[in-house]
């Protein structure tokens, strides 16, 4: 939980508080002079006691507090709380291209993506429907959105490394978006270590996602500074010689930014888990400006009450 507000009135708060202090000191000094010049000192002393000329700072503090609360109230303060995002249905799109067999994320990028995707599903609870898409050179629907958790886990386990070369990120976004209906919020979480080099273009997939009001979060795996010219033989089913290009940060960022989602990178299992788990959290924002303004009004009322009691004996 945190309080967020604009600081556009910070200088005004300092200025008003400074002026209030100056006016307060000036008024107190003027009241003393008037009392000593025109008042009956002995009578005032009998009524108010020996310290009737002693200044009290209670009213000053009250006034400064009222001014500060008022300006904060005008700064649109918002209380932000993290809550579990159970108002959305999801499709998890998992990259199944050969490059996902690299073991920089243990045991491999591919297996880590599947394992942590299941953790993500467990944390979502039972209100969200979840679908699964696998993509390499093409994008394929593995599981239609369902609330049946065992079916979802089985679908994730069934995803295998694709036989077709390439990484069809655009097609994965398109297929995933088409699987979600309009009854609830719609979210696609896409995990990949590559760049779009097969299927439809990124721009076309963004257009399709926006037409269907789908939010797309993208998670890029691996290191950004990998050499484009690096080739290796990867051991594994259907594996072949493959390139490990840098993550196409611009492509993935463009997808997320254009659809209201988030783009993150992960170079290890912990980072991947954090990236996925954070996506199931959303922020509840509550405007609390009214409370600050009411607080300022209460303090001003308190100052008025105090001004008619022992804190303002002198006229």
């Amino acid at each position: 939980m945190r309080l967020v507000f604009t600081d556009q009135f910070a200088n005004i708060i300092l200025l008003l508080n400074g002026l209030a202090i100056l006016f307060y000191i000036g008024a107190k000094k003027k009241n003393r002079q008037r009392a000593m010049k025109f008042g009956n000192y002995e009578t005032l002393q009998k009524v108010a006691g020996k310290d009737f000329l002693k200044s009290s700072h209670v009213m000053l503090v009250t006034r400064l507090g009222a001014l500060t609360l008022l300006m904060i109230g005008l700064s649109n303060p918002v209380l932000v709380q993290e809550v579990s995002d159970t108002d959305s249905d999801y499709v998890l799109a998992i990259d199944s291209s050969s490059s996902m067999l690299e073991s920089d994320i243990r045991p491999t990028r591919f297996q880590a993506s599947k394992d942590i995707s299941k953790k993500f599903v467990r944390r979502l609870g039972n209100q969200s429907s979840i679908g699964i898409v696998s993509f390499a050179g093409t994008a394929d629907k593995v599981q239609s959105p369902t609330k049946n958790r065992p079916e979802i886990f089985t679908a994730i386990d069934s995803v295998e490394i694709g036989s077709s070369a390439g990484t069809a990120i655009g097609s994965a976004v398109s297929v995933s978006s088409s699987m979600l209906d309009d009854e609830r919020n719609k979210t696609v979480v896409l995990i990949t270590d590559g760049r779009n080099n097969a299927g439809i273009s990124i721009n076309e997939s963004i257009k399709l996602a926006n037409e269907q009001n789908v939010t797309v979060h993208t998670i890029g795996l691996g290191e950004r500074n990998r050499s484009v010219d690096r080739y290796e033989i990867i051991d594994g089913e259907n594996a072949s010689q493959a390139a490990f290009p840098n993550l196409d940060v611009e492509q993935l960022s463009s997808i997320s930014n254009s659809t209201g989602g988030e783009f993150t990178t992960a170079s290890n299992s912990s980072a991947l888990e954090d990236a996925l788990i954070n996506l199931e959290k959303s922020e509840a924002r509550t405007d609390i400006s009214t409370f600050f303004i009411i607080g300022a009004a209460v303090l001003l009322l308190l100052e008025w009450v105090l001004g008619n009691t022992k804190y303002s004996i002198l006229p």
Side-chain angles (χ1 to χ4, degrees):
M1 181 185 300
R2 66 185 189 277
L3 178 65
V4 178
F5 59 92
T6 175
D7 61 354
Q8 61 178 320
F9 295 124
N11 293 332
I12 298 178
I13 291 175
L14 293 175
L15 175 62
L16 290 178
N17 283 342
L19 290 175
I21 293 172
L22 291 176
F23 289 151
Y24 179 81
I25 294 173
K28 279 293 183 181
K29 185 176 180 181
K30 197 71 174 177
N31 281 343
R32 280 199 183 96
Q33 291 173 349
R34 288 168 55 202
M36 296 302 296
K37 186 174 182 179
F38 302 107
N40 187 321
Y41 185 87
E42 292 183 356
T43 302
L44 287 171
Q45 189 178 34
K46 288 179 181 180
V47 174
K50 294 181 180 180
D51 298 329
F52 75 95
L53 288 177
K54 184 178 180 180
S55 175
S56 172
H57 301 307
V58 173
M59 292 182 63
L60 174 61
V61 173
T62 304
R63 189 172 303 165
L64 296 180
L67 288 172
T68 301
L69 289 178
L70 177 61
M71 299 315 297
I72 293 177
L74 295 175
S75 298
N76 299 318
V78 175
L79 191 64
V80 180
Q81 295 175 287
E82 279 192 348
V83 296
S84 180
D85 191 0
T86 58
D87 294 330
S88 181
D89 290 333
Y90 291 82
V91 169
L92 298 177
I94 302 173
D95 189 342
S96 57
S97 58
S98 297
S99 59
M100 290 286 287
L101 289 172
E102 181 151 1
S103 60
D104 56 342
I105 299 179
R106 300 292 179 181
T108 63
R109 294 177 180 178
F110 182 61
Q111 189 60 46
S113 297
K114 293 169 63 175
D115 293 342
I116 295 173
S117 291
K118 288 192 286 187
K119 289 185 179 181
F120 174 76
V121 173
R122 292 189 186 97
R123 288 178 61 94
L124 275 178
N126 297 320
Q127 296 183 23
S128 297
S129 294
I130 302 171
I132 306 297
V133 164
S134 171
F135 66 97
T138 60
D140 302 304
K141 179 173 69 174
V142 179
Q143 173 65 57
S144 298
T146 178
K147 293 182 180 180
N148 188 313
R149 277 12 187 190
E151 284 187 13
I152 298 169
F153 296 142
T154 299
I156 293 174
D157 288 333
S158 71
V159 176
E160 298 180 349
I161 292 296
S163 58
S164 56
T167 307
I169 295 175
S171 296
V173 172
S174 177
V175 171
S176 300
S177 298
S178 66
M179 291 167 57
L180 294 164
D181 59 39
D182 293 324
E183 293 182 3
R184 291 159 53 87
N185 294 332
K186 298 178 286 187
T187 304
V188 170
V189 180
L190 183 141
I191 306 171
T192 183
D193 67 347
R195 62 182 61 219
N196 190 57
N197 53 23
I200 68 174
S201 69
I202 293 297
N203 289 337
E204 188 175 350
S205 69
I206 291 173
K207 180 181 179 182
L208 291 171
N210 284 330
E211 287 176 350
Q212 298 178 59
N213 297 315
V214 175
T215 299
V216 183
H217 301 298
T218 56
I219 301 175
L221 303 182
E223 302 173 10
R224 297 190 185 192
N225 59 354
R226 300 295 295 273
S227 170
V228 176
D229 298 324
R230 178 184 173 190
Y231 288 84
E232 289 184 5
I233 299 296
I234 306 176
D235 294 329
E237 184 180 357
N238 296 325
S240 60
Q241 190 176 57
F244 294 92
N246 296 335
L247 288 177
D248 198 323
V249 174
E250 290 186 3
Q251 280 187 348
L252 298 179
S253 296
S254 177
I255 293 171
S256 293
N257 292 338
S258 300
T259 60
E262 296 181 7
F263 165 63
T264 55
T265 58
S267 57
N268 55 59
S269 296
S270 296
L272 175 57
E273 183 170 355
D274 289 343
L276 262 177
I277 297 308
N278 286 336
L279 292 180
E280 64 93 14
K281 297 177 181 177
S282 62
E283 291 185 341
R285 304 171 70 88
T286 306
D287 187 346
I288 56 174
S289 57
T290 303
F291 297 102
F292 282 92
I293 294 174
I294 292 175
V298 170
L299 288 180
L300 289 174
L301 179 62
L302 178 61
E303 182 197 6
W304 178 80
V305 172
L306 295 176
N308 289 278
T309 60
K310 65 177 182 178
Y311 291 101
S312 184
I313 296 170
L314 298 179

